[in-house]
Amino acid sequence: EVQLQASGGGLVQAGGSLRLSCVVSGFTLDDHVIGWFRQAPGKEREGVSCISSRDGSTYYADSVKGRFAISGDNAKNALYLQMNSLKPEDTAVYYCATDPLWRYCSGAWLHYSMDFWGKGTLVTVSS
């Protein structure tokens, strides 16, 4: 059974930082793409960022580019998202997700419906 467990969310003031983690079991990240989505209250889910274990390529949504940094650890089968300069509009539930179809990260990944999802972790940024 594939399981993704996200953690690291919390309450932070605008301008602050948080680091999200996602640990995957039942699925080897080696040679696959994994990333983050988020869903704010009353809004549709949006892709945030992805990373490829095959070539290390990354992709970011324009809304987080330059502020967020994604990284992975294949040995730990884990994924991270360092979020800096947080804004109130970053408030959302953040989900890690992956799909066996993908090998490379691209903008298209951010709009794809993944096979495997974590339960999410809530990030709240106060103004």
Side-chain angles (χ1 to χ4, degrees):
E1 180 186 5
V2 178
Q3 291 188 337
L4 294 85
Q5 182 62 55
S7 62
L11 174 64
V12 64
Q13 287 188 332
S17 299
L18 280 175
R19 187 180 188 235
L20 305 184
S21 300
C22 175
V23 177
V24 182
S25 59
F27 181 83
T28 301
L29 294 179
D30 191 29
D31 206 33
H32 289 95
V33 177
I34 188 169
W36 296 92
F37 289 77
R38 67 185 182 185
Q39 187 164 19
K43 294 189 177 180
E44 292 188 356
R45 186 180 63 206
E46 66 169 333
V48 174
S49 181
C50 59
I51 184 168
S52 167
S53 296
R54 170 170 281 197
D55 65 356
S57 60
T58 60
Y59 196 90
Y60 296 91
D62 287 343
S63 58
V64 306
K65 201 172 294 183
R67 300 187 297 122
F68 290 10
I70 193 170
S71 61
D73 186 334
N74 284 356
K76 296 181 178 180
N77 228 33
L79 172 72
Y80 307 98
L81 186 69
Q82 178 66 42
M83 306 185 296
N84 299 325
S85 302
L86 283 162
K87 304 175 181 179
E89 52 263 44
D90 293 318
T91 295
V93 177
Y94 284 71
Y95 302 89
C96 49
T98 189
D99 190 286
L101 176 67
W102 295 78
R103 295 293 183 273
Y104 298 100
C105 186
S106 70
W109 190 92
L110 300 186
H111 299 281
Y112 189 79
S113 182
M114 300 293 125
D115 266 359
F116 304 123
W117 293 87
K119 288 189 177 181
T121 184
L122 175 62
V123 172
T124 304
V125 184
S126 63
S127 57

